[in-house]
Amino acid sequence: MSFTDKAKNKAQEMSGMAKERIGDVTDNERLRAEGAGEQSTARAKQAGENAKQAGRDVKDAFEK
């Protein structure tokens, strides 16, 4: 996973956190849900990238 992908995922997660908190403060359920959804999406992307990297690491270990 490249640094750029990690940064994009983290930025999306932080954006989601901000939206969720703004939704909490303004009592805006739509914004709160949108923020939670963005966070979930970013975390899922990150988990997928981590799984791919773990697979590459295992492959590399067996090739040595």
Side-chain angles (χ1 to χ4, degrees), residues 18-29 31-32:
K19 283 183 181 181
E20 188 173 19
R21 289 202 175 124
I22 290 170
D24 284 339
V25 170
T26 60
D27 200 32
N28 183 331
E29 189 62 38
L31 194 57
R32 190 179 308 146

Side-chain angles (χ1 to χ4, degrees), residues 30-46:
R30 182 193 59 79
L31 194 57
R32 190 179 308 146
E34 187 177 316
E38 280 187 24
Q39 288 180 69
S40 296
T41 301
R43 289 179 184 146
K45 286 180 186 177
Q46 188 68 32

